[in-house]
Amino acid sequence: MLSSQSTRLDSLQAKLATTTDDRERAIVLHELFDMYVYSAPDTALQLVEEAFAITAELGEIAIHTASQFQMGHALYVTGNLDRFKDHQLAFINYLKETDQEHDIAPAYRNLAKVGESRGQPDSSLLYIDLCLEYLASYPDSVTLGDVHISKCMAYLNKGFYAFATEEILTAIRIAEQINRPDKEAYAHLNAGNVFTQVNRDSAAIYHYSEALDFFRKDNNLIGQSHVLNNLGQLYRSAERWDEAITAHEESIALAEKVNHRYNQLANNMNLVKLYYAKDEYERARPHVSSTLDISREINHVFAEAAMLRFESRFAIRRGDLISAKSFAQLAERLGEAYYEPVEQGELYYEMAEIMEGIRQPAKALAYLKKGNEVSDSLYTIEQDQKVEELKLIYETEKKDAAIAILNKQTELDATRKRALWGGLALLALLSGVFIYSLIQRKRKKEALLTAEKMIEVEKRKSTERELEFKQKELTAKVLQLARKNEFLSSLETEIVDLKSSVDSTVSKTTQRISRMINRDADDDGEWEQFGREFSSVHQDFLDRLKSRFGTFSKSEMR
């Protein structure tokens, strides 16, 4: 992998030497920055400063924004905190001017990191609040997780351990929810730091181990080195010497691969402390030498002074008081320039121990007094922090209670609204069902009326057809009776004529035939049947005729 990185680096440097296009040059500088930012941060800063100048002239928002991001990163990792802060404030204005307000929240979070680095938690919390305002308008789960880490660090610096614990666990949950192993790694790393501060070593080791697994999966060598250094310190405190030595040596090897000088320095210092605790000066010597070399290279005065104090202590144990005094005097001069309260207190106590060891009781007493003064001030600060934390807890709980009441009221109002809307919806539904049933009932009624009308029409048509048939049948019968009577009448005439021309015997016979014809012509049965059929067609006609004109004889009626 290192070979491929070296090949890639050579290719980019060759391209940088030959390109004449400004935009292409800026892109190459950006890629080189990514390769140098951790291994050679000063070189990375020089590269991005050139890229920044080029992209500012190009006037392309996207590529110049990339330069802005890299510039901030370079200034932070090189420890140029004043420039970093000024740059972030200018970057925020640039983002506003170029309508990129969605990127402002991370910039405010970066400003909060300045307070973390300088031990200024109130400054951090101020910028965190500004960051949260933009996150409300431009939600970003990644930045929100980072904000909880920053709040954790701010509360840790203020000594508010309960709040710090809550914030870092929230950061872990967010990283899990968004499925970002890289963010989970840093969240677990900071969780380890929190639990180390509150002396919960088993919890700290668990979170450091989780962070180490994530960093290994992500092939993050710097992250692995950092976690292993912290684990080594915990193992040393628990006198798990072999595990501590293995962790620090592995951490140094990883830091050397990426040329991370600070991690090399920290691990060598911790190995010196370990071997001092075990009184193994010979094993400590190479680490003392490495720490002095690196601290002078990167101008880390505190680390250099600390190694000189260890050299003095080792010399005292060996009985070499002359060397011990020489180392102590050098450490004393360097230590005066270091003003961080906690380490300053440790320095004074260590110097008191050294002065006592080289038989300078007056100086030992003076350092002891200075150490006590720092401890007293730190105790007062710690007590003030505890009081402030209690106040903050009270105010937070009070605020949470008010929020809970407000949420309950809001929930109640929402429930009432839901009930009202639900009632209205139910009423509308019932109304709809009622109206629908009315419509359906009306439709059924109309369909029934239509069907009844159709039946009536059919009945009427059937009656009309039946009446028409009966009229035709009646007419036919009337014609038949009329032809029959006409025939009988003509037949009777013929018989009368015959009777006048024949003898008496034939005459009797013709009289009998004539009586039969008359009897047939006067047959009441046929006329009664005809009367019934006539009445069925012309109802009440005969009754109305009688009531109007009086009675008629049977023959008159016919």
Side-chain angles (χ1 to χ4, degrees):
M1 188 179 79
L2 292 175
S3 176
S4 63
Q5 285 183 339
S6 178
T7 302
R8 175 64 177 160
L9 183 61
D10 292 341
S11 173
L12 288 172
Q13 287 175 336
K15 192 173 182 180
L16 188 66
T18 57
T19 184
T20 57
D21 181 77
D22 284 343
R23 192 177 190 281
E24 187 177 354
R25 183 176 182 82
I27 292 171
V28 174
L29 289 167
H30 286 167
E31 293 184 50
L32 283 169
F33 170 87
D34 289 333
M35 301 190 73
Y36 278 115
V37 65
Y38 291 114
S39 60
D42 290 329
T43 301
L45 178 58
Q46 293 174 2
L47 292 169
V48 76
E49 283 176 336
E50 182 183 351
F52 189 92
I54 292 172
T55 56
E57 288 294 325
L58 288 173
E60 292 185 25
I61 293 175
I63 194 169
H64 189 54
T65 300
S67 293
Q68 296 264 19
F69 276 115
Q70 288 190 343
M71 177 67 80
H73 192 180
L75 291 172
Y76 185 77
V77 297
T78 54
N80 291 289
L81 294 184
D82 288 330
R83 281 188 64 191
F84 175 72
K85 184 175 181 179
D86 291 341
H87 173 266
Q88 289 300 302
L89 291 170
F91 186 30
I92 288 169
N93 289 331
Y94 176 77
L95 291 171
K96 289 178 180 178
E97 291 168 0
T98 54
D99 295 326
Q100 299 184 85
E101 295 194 351
H102 54 278
D103 283 329
I104 291 178
Y108 275 122
R109 191 262 171 171
N110 287 338
L111 286 168
K113 289 168 66 177
V114 176
E116 291 174 29
S117 301
R118 288 180 167 169
Q120 298 170 341
D122 292 327
S123 173
S124 290
L125 292 171
L126 172 65
Y127 287 118
I128 285 169
D129 287 340
L130 292 171
C131 177
L132 290 172
E133 286 181 17
Y134 275 92
L135 284 177
S137 300
Y138 305 97
D140 178 1
S141 297
V142 173
T143 302
L144 182 62
D146 291 340
V147 166
H148 283 289
I149 292 176
S150 290
K151 287 185 80 172
C152 166
M153 294 297 102
Y155 287 138
L156 199 62
N157 286 333
K158 289 174 76 68
F160 297 171
Y161 301 120
F163 287 118
T165 302
E166 183 180 347
E167 292 297 330
I168 198 60
L169 293 179
T170 301
I172 291 172
R173 285 195 296 272
I174 292 173
E176 289 172 347
Q177 288 168 359
I178 63 176
N179 193 25
R180 285 289 300 269
D182 56 331
K183 294 297 180 181
E184 286 186 73
Y186 282 106
H188 280 292
L189 170 59
N190 283 283
N193 295 339
V194 172
F195 288 114
T196 299
Q197 288 275 356
V198 296
N199 297 317
R200 292 176 57 185
D201 290 353
S202 59
I205 289 172
Y206 165 76
H207 285 288
Y208 283 143
S209 299
E210 287 290 298
L212 186 59
D213 287 343
F214 281 116
F215 281 132
R216 281 174 174 160
K217 289 174 184 175
D218 198 35
N219 198 33
N220 186 331
L221 303 185
I222 296 172
Q224 293 176 56
S225 175
H226 195 74
V227 173
L228 287 165
N229 179 47
N230 292 354
L231 279 170
Q233 293 179 74
L234 280 175
Y235 292 144
R236 174 169 57 84
S237 298
E239 297 187 354
R240 294 162 62 173
W241 307 116
D242 292 339
E243 290 174 279
I245 292 168
T246 300
H248 285 304
E249 288 181 345
E250 185 181 350
S251 180
I252 290 171
L254 290 168
E256 286 175 346
K257 284 184 178 180
V258 291
N259 195 30
H260 200 289
R261 305 299 277 164
Y262 181 82
N263 276 8
Q264 294 175 51
L265 175 71
N267 280 280
N268 277 295
M269 283 183 66
N270 285 318
L271 282 171
V272 171
K273 293 176 183 179
L274 185 151
Y275 290 126
Y276 177 77
K278 296 183 69 178
D279 198 20
E280 296 180 5
Y281 176 65
E282 289 304 317
R283 294 185 70 179
R285 283 184 65 184
H287 299 291
V288 171
S289 178
S290 294
T291 302
L292 286 171
D293 290 343
I294 297 170
S295 61
R296 287 164 183 163
E297 176 189 336
I298 64 176
N299 195 31
H300 200 297
V301 177
F302 176 76
E304 184 179 356
M307 286 304 99
L308 291 170
R309 293 198 303 277
F310 274 110
E311 286 278 35
S312 180
R313 288 186 204 172
F314 278 123
I316 290 170
R317 289 186 178 183
R318 295 194 307 271
D320 185 358
L321 297 184
I322 295 174
S323 296
K325 184 176 182 179
S326 175
F327 286 128
Q329 287 172 341
L330 289 172
E332 186 177 12
R333 285 197 295 272
L334 290 171
E336 289 175 354
Y338 201 87
Y339 297 104
E340 208 286 326
V342 175
E343 268 102 7
Q344 190 73 49
E346 291 178 1
L347 167 65
Y348 289 144
Y349 284 127
E350 288 177 5
M351 289 303 297
E353 180 187 347
I354 291 168
M355 292 302 166
E356 185 179 1
I358 61 176
R359 299 170 187 174
Q360 292 188 0
K363 282 193 173 183
L365 182 59
Y367 275 116
L368 188 61
K369 285 181 178 179
K370 286 182 179 180
N372 287 336
E373 287 173 2
V374 173
S375 294
D376 289 342
S377 66
L378 288 173
Y379 177 78
T380 302
I381 291 170
E382 185 178 351
Q383 292 302 310
D384 290 343
Q385 286 175 339
K386 286 182 178 179
V387 171
E388 190 177 348
E389 182 176 15
L390 289 173
K391 286 181 180 178
L392 184 57
I393 290 172
Y394 170 73
E395 291 297 328
T396 302
E397 290 182 349
K398 183 178 174 183
K399 187 186 295 182
D400 289 344
I403 291 171
I405 292 171
L406 184 60
N407 287 339
K408 286 292 183 184
Q409 185 63 45
T410 303
E411 186 179 341
L412 182 60
D413 291 342
T415 302
R416 286 173 178 167
K417 286 180 180 177
R418 285 196 297 271
L420 176 61
W421 283 112
L424 290 173
L426 181 60
L427 181 61
L429 179 62
L430 291 173
S431 299
V433 171
F434 179 71
I435 292 169
Y436 178 76
S437 64
L438 287 178
I439 292 170
Q440 290 298 104
R441 193 179 303 170
K442 184 179 178 182
R443 285 177 179 172
K444 287 180 180 179
K445 190 174 180 180
E446 288 176 351
L448 184 60
L449 288 173
T450 301
E452 289 176 351
K453 286 179 180 178
M454 289 178 68
I455 291 170
E456 289 295 327
V457 169
E458 288 299 319
K459 282 183 177 180
R460 190 165 57 248
K461 286 181 179 179
S462 177
T463 304
E464 287 175 353
R465 284 194 297 270
E466 185 179 353
L467 184 60
E468 184 180 356
F469 173 75
K470 287 184 176 181
Q471 285 177 334
K472 289 179 179 179
E473 188 180 37
L474 186 61
T475 302
K477 188 160 285 193
V478 168
L479 291 174
Q480 182 183 0
L481 287 172
R483 282 195 298 271
K484 173 186 171 186
N485 289 337
E486 184 180 352
F487 170 73
L488 292 173
S489 179
S490 62
L491 182 60
E492 186 178 4
T493 303
E494 289 295 328
I495 290 172
V496 171
D497 290 341
L498 178 64
K499 187 169 60 173
S500 62
S501 59
V502 294
D503 59 19
S504 58
T505 304
V506 176
S507 178
K508 288 180 182 178
T509 301
T510 55
Q511 286 178 354
R512 191 170 57 253
I513 293 170
S514 181
R515 283 195 298 273
M516 290 173 63
I517 291 170
N518 289 330
R519 211 169 30 247
D520 187 79
D522 293 334
D523 187 7
D524 290 336
E526 288 187 2
W527 282 105
E528 286 178 4
Q529 183 181 355
F530 173 78
R532 285 195 301 272
E533 291 176 357
F534 182 86
S535 294
S536 67
V537 177
H538 304 286
Q539 295 179 4
D540 301 329
F541 173 77
L542 296 177
D543 292 336
R544 285 186 280 111
L545 191 66
K546 290 176 182 178
S547 63
R548 188 170 181 182
F549 299 104
T551 58
F552 294 91
S553 65
K554 192 178 290 185
S555 60
E556 287 175 337
M557 187 64 71
R558 291 172 184 169

